Amino acid sequence: MGGIEMLKKYFKQLSLRTMHEAYSLAHKEIAQPLQKGGKCLDCGANNGYKYDTLKKLIHLDPDSYYGIEWNKSLVMEAMKKNLNVVQGDLNEKINFQDDEFKCVFGLSVLEHLLNPCSFLKECYRILDRDGTLIILTPNISTYFTAILILFGRMPSSGPHPDSNQILSQDSLLKVGHESIKPDPEAVTPIHRHIVVFSYRVLLSYFKIIGFREIKGYGFGLYPFPNFLQPILQKIDPYHCHQMVIVARK
């Protein structure tokens, strides 16, 4: 096996572990406030598949699960499963009442929004008193980002406007993005990372909005090996590849 193939395999394993750990923690944090009942809102709901994931963790009444999804065909799939998923744009005002939800979550969504700060304010508005917001998003302040900048690459941990062209020319950048497809929407392309926060800045913004009991977790401190990750992530979450932020209103 060549050096490049070994490098690709290494980063793919690291990426898979990172995403698995980050999503597992996020799902547990979502389930926790819902154990005593209340409604949840899935921002970027896709076809509602996260309902099935949550149902494995807690007893979740389908009438308590709500979702917003940009893609109309995915909304139709969710509706066929009798899930409360509506079509909407998370860059705009969220069409729900103040203090309506016990839990609001957006997993791998924030980085795709044109107005992520407005979205976080809307999440605060629609959460009830003591409601919980869970966000999973990439972190731009990583060692990996610094290396990319040194080599003249774009400083983000996700697909860019020119990703398809880059990927066809540079196999090293294919790590973790083998399934990227051309952006199907001209206005808000779903694969493009538009605004990527740093760990410190995102925590600070949660405080500015008014959230309390803010907890941050980091996953994937690249390029360190897998066996060191559990320790290093706790020591230095500020430079991990993915971050999960949990905060109460």
mmCIF file with all atom_site columns, all heavy atoms in Angstrom, residues 17 221 224-235:
data_model
loop_
_atom_site.group_PDB
_atom_site.id
_atom_site.type_symbol
_atom_site.label_atom_id
_atom_site.label_alt_id
_atom_site.label_comp_id
_atom_site.label_asym_id
_atom_site.label_entity_id
_atom_site.label_seq_id
_atom_site.pdbx_PDB_ins_code
_atom_site.Cartn_x
_atom_site.Cartn_y
_atom_site.Cartn_z
_atom_site.occupancy
_atom_site.B_iso_or_equiv
_atom_site.pdbx_formal_charge
_atom_site.auth_seq_id
_atom_site.auth_comp_id
_atom_site.auth_asym_id
_atom_site.auth_atom_id
_atom_site.pdbx_PDB_model_num
ATOM 1   N N   . ARG A 1 17  ? -14.473 7.754  13.239 1.00 0.00 ? 17  ARG A N   1
ATOM 2   C CA  . ARG A 1 17  ? -14.537 7.714  14.693 1.00 0.00 ? 17  ARG A CA  1
ATOM 3   C C   . ARG A 1 17  ? -15.038 9.056  15.238 1.00 0.00 ? 17  ARG A C   1
ATOM 4   O O   . ARG A 1 17  ? -15.888 9.104  16.126 1.00 0.00 ? 17  ARG A O   1
ATOM 5   C CB  . ARG A 1 17  ? -13.161 7.414  15.280 1.00 0.00 ? 17  ARG A CB  1
ATOM 6   C CG  . ARG A 1 17  ? -13.180 7.392  16.805 1.00 0.00 ? 17  ARG A CG  1
ATOM 7   C CD  . ARG A 1 17  ? -11.808 7.641  17.429 1.00 0.00 ? 17  ARG A CD  1
ATOM 8   N NE  . ARG A 1 17  ? -11.949 7.766  18.880 1.00 0.00 ? 17  ARG A NE  1
ATOM 9   C CZ  . ARG A 1 17  ? -12.288 8.887  19.485 1.00 0.00 ? 17  ARG A CZ  1
ATOM 10  N NH1 . ARG A 1 17  ? -12.540 9.982  18.791 1.00 0.00 ? 17  ARG A NH1 1
ATOM 11  N NH2 . ARG A 1 17  ? -12.405 8.924  20.809 1.00 0.00 ? 17  ARG A NH2 1
ATOM 12  N N   . LEU A 1 221 ? -9.137  15.389 17.417 1.00 0.00 ? 221 LEU A N   1
ATOM 13  C CA  . LEU A 1 221 ? -8.013  16.326 17.440 1.00 0.00 ? 221 LEU A CA  1
ATOM 14  C C   . LEU A 1 221 ? -6.980  15.852 16.426 1.00 0.00 ? 221 LEU A C   1
ATOM 15  O O   . LEU A 1 221 ? -6.073  15.083 16.744 1.00 0.00 ? 221 LEU A O   1
ATOM 16  C CB  . LEU A 1 221 ? -7.414  16.405 18.852 1.00 0.00 ? 221 LEU A CB  1
ATOM 17  C CG  . LEU A 1 221 ? -6.478  17.589 19.108 1.00 0.00 ? 221 LEU A CG  1
ATOM 18  C CD1 . LEU A 1 221 ? -7.243  18.905 18.988 1.00 0.00 ? 221 LEU A CD1 1
ATOM 19  C CD2 . LEU A 1 221 ? -5.852  17.489 20.490 1.00 0.00 ? 221 LEU A CD2 1
ATOM 20  N N   . PHE A 1 224 ? -3.613  13.643 15.404 1.00 0.00 ? 224 PHE A N   1
ATOM 21  C CA  . PHE A 1 224 ? -3.170  12.656 16.388 1.00 0.00 ? 224 PHE A CA  1
ATOM 22  C C   . PHE A 1 224 ? -3.918  11.331 16.206 1.00 0.00 ? 224 PHE A C   1
ATOM 23  O O   . PHE A 1 224 ? -5.071  11.318 15.798 1.00 0.00 ? 224 PHE A O   1
ATOM 24  C CB  . PHE A 1 224 ? -3.359  13.207 17.793 1.00 0.00 ? 224 PHE A CB  1
ATOM 25  C CG  . PHE A 1 224 ? -2.576  14.467 18.046 1.00 0.00 ? 224 PHE A CG  1
ATOM 26  C CD1 . PHE A 1 224 ? -3.199  15.703 18.041 1.00 0.00 ? 224 PHE A CD1 1
ATOM 27  C CD2 . PHE A 1 224 ? -1.214  14.415 18.260 1.00 0.00 ? 224 PHE A CD2 1
ATOM 28  C CE1 . PHE A 1 224 ? -2.479  16.866 18.251 1.00 0.00 ? 224 PHE A CE1 1
ATOM 29  C CE2 . PHE A 1 224 ? -0.480  15.568 18.476 1.00 0.00 ? 224 PHE A CE2 1
ATOM 30  C CZ  . PHE A 1 224 ? -1.111  16.797 18.471 1.00 0.00 ? 224 PHE A CZ  1
ATOM 31  N N   . PRO A 1 225 ? -3.289  10.208 16.562 1.00 0.00 ? 225 PRO A N   1
ATOM 32  C CA  . PRO A 1 225 ? -3.887  8.890  16.303 1.00 0.00 ? 225 PRO A CA  1
ATOM 33  C C   . PRO A 1 225 ? -5.107  8.611  17.171 1.00 0.00 ? 225 PRO A C   1
ATOM 34  O O   . PRO A 1 225 ? -5.321  9.238  18.214 1.00 0.00 ? 225 PRO A O   1
ATOM 35  C CB  . PRO A 1 225 ? -2.739  7.916  16.635 1.00 0.00 ? 225 PRO A CB  1
ATOM 36  C CG  . PRO A 1 225 ? -1.832  8.679  17.539 1.00 0.00 ? 225 PRO A CG  1
ATOM 37  C CD  . PRO A 1 225 ? -1.924  10.106 17.101 1.00 0.00 ? 225 PRO A CD  1
ATOM 38  N N   . ASN A 1 226 ? -5.879  7.631  16.740 1.00 0.00 ? 226 ASN A N   1
ATOM 39  C CA  . ASN A 1 226 ? -7.149  7.294  17.382 1.00 0.00 ? 226 ASN A CA  1
ATOM 40  C C   . ASN A 1 226 ? -7.011  6.970  18.868 1.00 0.00 ? 226 ASN A C   1
ATOM 41  O O   . ASN A 1 226 ? -7.838  7.379  19.679 1.00 0.00 ? 226 ASN A O   1
ATOM 42  C CB  . ASN A 1 226 ? -7.797  6.103  16.664 1.00 0.00 ? 226 ASN A CB  1
ATOM 43  C CG  . ASN A 1 226 ? -8.768  6.549  15.585 1.00 0.00 ? 226 ASN A CG  1
ATOM 44  O OD1 . ASN A 1 226 ? -9.479  7.523  15.748 1.00 0.00 ? 226 ASN A OD1 1
ATOM 45  N ND2 . ASN A 1 226 ? -8.783  5.824  14.478 1.00 0.00 ? 226 ASN A ND2 1
ATOM 46  N N   . PHE A 1 227 ? -5.975  6.211  19.251 1.00 0.00 ? 227 PHE A N   1
ATOM 47  C CA  . PHE A 1 227 ? -5.886  5.752  20.626 1.00 0.00 ? 227 PHE A CA  1
ATOM 48  C C   . PHE A 1 227 ? -5.646  6.905  21.611 1.00 0.00 ? 227 PHE A C   1
ATOM 49  O O   . PHE A 1 227 ? -5.899  6.771  22.804 1.00 0.00 ? 227 PHE A O   1
ATOM 50  C CB  . PHE A 1 227 ? -4.801  4.679  20.772 1.00 0.00 ? 227 PHE A CB  1
ATOM 51  C CG  . PHE A 1 227 ? -3.388  5.188  20.719 1.00 0.00 ? 227 PHE A CG  1
ATOM 52  C CD1 . PHE A 1 227 ? -2.720  5.539  21.887 1.00 0.00 ? 227 PHE A CD1 1
ATOM 53  C CD2 . PHE A 1 227 ? -2.728  5.310  19.507 1.00 0.00 ? 227 PHE A CD2 1
ATOM 54  C CE1 . PHE A 1 227 ? -1.413  5.997  21.844 1.00 0.00 ? 227 PHE A CE1 1
ATOM 55  C CE2 . PHE A 1 227 ? -1.430  5.772  19.460 1.00 0.00 ? 227 PHE A CE2 1
ATOM 56  C CZ  . PHE A 1 227 ? -0.760  6.117  20.624 1.00 0.00 ? 227 PHE A CZ  1
ATOM 57  N N   . LEU A 1 228 ? -5.190  8.058  21.112 1.00 0.00 ? 228 LEU A N   1
ATOM 58  C CA  . LEU A 1 228 ? -4.970  9.219  21.970 1.00 0.00 ? 228 LEU A CA  1
ATOM 59  C C   . LEU A 1 228 ? -6.177  10.154 22.046 1.00 0.00 ? 228 LEU A C   1
ATOM 60  O O   . LEU A 1 228 ? -6.223  11.049 22.895 1.00 0.00 ? 228 LEU A O   1
ATOM 61  C CB  . LEU A 1 228 ? -3.755  10.019 21.474 1.00 0.00 ? 228 LEU A CB  1
ATOM 62  C CG  . LEU A 1 228 ? -2.376  9.390  21.656 1.00 0.00 ? 228 LEU A CG  1
ATOM 63  C CD1 . LEU A 1 228 ? -1.320  10.268 21.011 1.00 0.00 ? 228 LEU A CD1 1
ATOM 64  C CD2 . LEU A 1 228 ? -2.072  9.187  23.124 1.00 0.00 ? 228 LEU A CD2 1
ATOM 65  N N   . GLN A 1 229 ? -7.142  9.943  21.162 1.00 0.00 ? 229 GLN A N   1
ATOM 66  C CA  . GLN A 1 229 ? -8.249  10.890 21.040 1.00 0.00 ? 229 GLN A CA  1
ATOM 67  C C   . GLN A 1 229 ? -9.046  11.090 22.333 1.00 0.00 ? 229 GLN A C   1
ATOM 68  O O   . GLN A 1 229 ? -9.330  12.236 22.707 1.00 0.00 ? 229 GLN A O   1
ATOM 69  C CB  . GLN A 1 229 ? -9.183  10.462 19.905 1.00 0.00 ? 229 GLN A CB  1
ATOM 70  C CG  . GLN A 1 229 ? -8.578  10.579 18.513 1.00 0.00 ? 229 GLN A CG  1
ATOM 71  C CD  . GLN A 1 229 ? -8.209  11.995 18.131 1.00 0.00 ? 229 GLN A CD  1
ATOM 72  O OE1 . GLN A 1 229 ? -8.929  12.933 18.434 1.00 0.00 ? 229 GLN A OE1 1
ATOM 73  N NE2 . GLN A 1 229 ? -7.075  12.160 17.482 1.00 0.00 ? 229 GLN A NE2 1
ATOM 74  N N   . PRO A 1 230 ? -9.464  10.037 23.054 1.00 0.00 ? 230 PRO A N   1
ATOM 75  C CA  . PRO A 1 230 ? -10.286 10.262 24.254 1.00 0.00 ? 230 PRO A CA  1
ATOM 76  C C   . PRO A 1 230 ? -9.637  11.197 25.265 1.00 0.00 ? 230 PRO A C   1
ATOM 77  O O   . PRO A 1 230 ? -10.316 12.020 25.886 1.00 0.00 ? 230 PRO A O   1
ATOM 78  C CB  . PRO A 1 230 ? -10.459 8.851  24.821 1.00 0.00 ? 230 PRO A CB  1
ATOM 79  C CG  . PRO A 1 230 ? -10.324 7.953  23.632 1.00 0.00 ? 230 PRO A CG  1
ATOM 80  C CD  . PRO A 1 230 ? -9.274  8.602  22.775 1.00 0.00 ? 230 PRO A CD  1
ATOM 81  N N   . ILE A 1 231 ? -8.316  11.090 25.427 1.00 0.00 ? 231 ILE A N   1
ATOM 82  C CA  . ILE A 1 231 ? -7.606  11.946 26.377 1.00 0.00 ? 231 ILE A CA  1
ATOM 83  C C   . ILE A 1 231 ? -7.423  13.349 25.824 1.00 0.00 ? 231 ILE A C   1
ATOM 84  O O   . ILE A 1 231 ? -7.725  14.353 26.488 1.00 0.00 ? 231 ILE A O   1
ATOM 85  C CB  . ILE A 1 231 ? -6.230  11.329 26.728 1.00 0.00 ? 231 ILE A CB  1
ATOM 86  C CG1 . ILE A 1 231 ? -6.414  9.972  27.401 1.00 0.00 ? 231 ILE A CG1 1
ATOM 87  C CG2 . ILE A 1 231 ? -5.428  12.275 27.625 1.00 0.00 ? 231 ILE A CG2 1
ATOM 88  C CD1 . ILE A 1 231 ? -5.112  9.231  27.642 1.00 0.00 ? 231 ILE A CD1 1
ATOM 89  N N   . LEU A 1 232 ? -6.943  13.446 24.580 1.00 0.00 ? 232 LEU A N   1
ATOM 90  C CA  . LEU A 1 232 ? -6.639  14.744 23.988 1.00 0.00 ? 232 LEU A CA  1
ATOM 91  C C   . LEU A 1 232 ? -7.884  15.601 23.798 1.00 0.00 ? 232 LEU A C   1
ATOM 92  O O   . LEU A 1 232 ? -7.832  16.822 23.942 1.00 0.00 ? 232 LEU A O   1
ATOM 93  C CB  . LEU A 1 232 ? -5.923  14.546 22.644 1.00 0.00 ? 232 LEU A CB  1
ATOM 94  C CG  . LEU A 1 232 ? -4.541  13.900 22.717 1.00 0.00 ? 232 LEU A CG  1
ATOM 95  C CD1 . LEU A 1 232 ? -3.969  13.706 21.318 1.00 0.00 ? 232 LEU A CD1 1
ATOM 96  C CD2 . LEU A 1 232 ? -3.597  14.745 23.557 1.00 0.00 ? 232 LEU A CD2 1
ATOM 97  N N   . GLN A 1 233 ? -9.011  14.981 23.490 1.00 0.00 ? 233 GLN A N   1
ATOM 98  C CA  . GLN A 1 233 ? -10.254 15.731 23.287 1.00 0.00 ? 233 GLN A CA  1
ATOM 99  C C   . GLN A 1 233 ? -10.681 16.446 24.559 1.00 0.00 ? 233 GLN A C   1
ATOM 100 O O   . GLN A 1 233 ? -11.245 17.543 24.505 1.00 0.00 ? 233 GLN A O   1
ATOM 101 C CB  . GLN A 1 233 ? -11.357 14.783 22.823 1.00 0.00 ? 233 GLN A CB  1
ATOM 102 C CG  . GLN A 1 233 ? -11.163 14.302 21.390 1.00 0.00 ? 233 GLN A CG  1
ATOM 103 C CD  . GLN A 1 233 ? -12.108 13.178 21.009 1.00 0.00 ? 233 GLN A CD  1
ATOM 104 O OE1 . GLN A 1 233 ? -12.157 12.753 19.851 1.00 0.00 ? 233 GLN A OE1 1
ATOM 105 N NE2 . GLN A 1 233 ? -12.857 12.657 21.970 1.00 0.00 ? 233 GLN A NE2 1
ATOM 106 N N   . LYS A 1 234 ? -10.443 15.820 25.711 1.00 0.00 ? 234 LYS A N   1
ATOM 107 C CA  . LYS A 1 234 ? -10.797 16.439 26.983 1.00 0.00 ? 234 LYS A CA  1
ATOM 108 C C   . LYS A 1 234 ? -9.811  17.534 27.363 1.00 0.00 ? 234 LYS A C   1
ATOM 109 O O   . LYS A 1 234 ? -10.182 18.550 27.945 1.00 0.00 ? 234 LYS A O   1
ATOM 110 C CB  . LYS A 1 234 ? -10.860 15.377 28.079 1.00 0.00 ? 234 LYS A CB  1
ATOM 111 C CG  . LYS A 1 234 ? -12.000 14.388 27.901 1.00 0.00 ? 234 LYS A CG  1
ATOM 112 C CD  . LYS A 1 234 ? -12.020 13.357 29.021 1.00 0.00 ? 234 LYS A CD  1
ATOM 113 C CE  . LYS A 1 234 ? -13.177 12.387 28.835 1.00 0.00 ? 234 LYS A CE  1
ATOM 114 N NZ  . LYS A 1 234 ? -13.218 11.347 29.904 1.00 0.00 ? 234 LYS A NZ  1
ATOM 115 N N   . ILE A 1 235 ? -8.539  17.325 27.030 1.00 0.00 ? 235 ILE A N   1
ATOM 116 C CA  . ILE A 1 235 ? -7.514  18.316 27.346 1.00 0.00 ? 235 ILE A CA  1
ATOM 117 C C   . ILE A 1 235 ? -7.664  19.559 26.467 1.00 0.00 ? 235 ILE A C   1
ATOM 118 O O   . ILE A 1 235 ? -7.542  20.694 26.952 1.00 0.00 ? 235 ILE A O   1
ATOM 119 C CB  . ILE A 1 235 ? -6.104  17.708 27.171 1.00 0.00 ? 235 ILE A CB  1
ATOM 120 C CG1 . ILE A 1 235 ? -5.885  16.578 28.180 1.00 0.00 ? 235 ILE A CG1 1
ATOM 121 C CG2 . ILE A 1 235 ? -5.024  18.774 27.319 1.00 0.00 ? 235 ILE A CG2 1
ATOM 122 C CD1 . ILE A 1 235 ? -4.584  15.825 27.977 1.00 0.00 ? 235 ILE A CD1 1
#
